[in-house]
Amino acid sequence: QNMQRLVKLLAASAAVAVASNEADTPSEKVVKMLSKLKTDVVAEGKKEDKEFEEYAKFCDKTQNEKEYQIGRSGKKIEKMEASIGVLAEDVKTMSTDLKKLETEKAAKDKELEDATAARNDEVKTYEASAQEMD
């Protein structure tokens, strides 16, 4: 009877050995699937890290460019505001000068009108004197 048990045990061991050579056990399949999943997740993570680094570099570059442009624009705005101040003063000065010139022109026009009237009177007086002498 012991011999029969030993034969049965050896037969069962042989069957298990043959079965394990032919196909993986369910536990081994799960371990292999988890190992493959781990490998895939690590590879995907590395890929995403690389893509994120590229995106972060792009964002940094774009931010630096925008900050530079904003700085330049700020300086341009300061210069333009200073120019506007100077030009506004020029406009005030020129407006004052224009008013003076308009006043002077009006005075000269009045002098011309008065002189023309005086000359016309003198011409009339001369013509009247000239006719009396004839």
Side-chain angles (χ1 to χ4, degrees):
Q1 197 173 5
N2 281 338
M3 193 59 121
Q4 286 179 346
R5 277 187 183 169
L6 186 59
V7 170
K8 285 181 183 180
L9 184 61
L10 286 174
S13 294
V16 168
V18 169
S20 68
N21 284 340
E22 290 179 6
D24 294 333
T25 65
S27 299
E28 289 174 338
K29 287 181 181 180
V30 169
V31 169
K32 285 183 181 180
M33 286 178 15
L34 288 174
S35 294
K36 182 174 179 350
L37 180 63
K38 177 184 174 187
T39 304
D40 292 348
V41 167
V42 168
E44 189 175 320
K46 287 180 182 178
K47 179 183 173 189
E48 287 181 4
D49 282 346
K50 182 181 177 187
E51 290 173 355
F52 180 78
E53 280 183 37
E54 290 174 8
Y55 180 70
K57 286 179 184 177
F58 166 77
C59 290
D60 288 342
K61 180 182 175 189
T62 302
Q63 180 180 356
N64 290 338
E65 289 173 356
K66 297 299 179 192
E67 287 174 353
Y68 174 74
Q69 291 173 354
I70 288 170
R72 281 187 58 202
S73 297
K75 289 177 184 176
K76 284 183 181 179
I77 289 171
E78 289 174 7
K79 287 180 182 178
M80 288 181 178
E81 286 175 344
S83 294
I84 289 171
V86 169
L87 294 173
E89 287 299 317
D90 288 349
V91 167
K92 284 181 184 177
T93 302
M94 289 180 185
S95 293
T96 303
D97 291 348
L98 180 62
K99 287 178 184 176
K100 285 181 185 177
L101 292 173
E102 286 174 344
T103 303
E104 288 177 15
K105 181 183 179 291
K108 296 294 180 183
D109 286 345
K110 178 68 174 147
E111 284 180 28
L112 178 62
E113 187 181 310
D114 291 345
T116 302
R119 295 306 158 278
N120 287 340
D121 287 343
E122 289 175 1
V123 167
K124 286 180 186 174
T125 303
Y126 171 76
E127 288 176 349
S129 305
Q131 275 185 349
E132 285 180 13
M133 289 192 174
D134 277 335

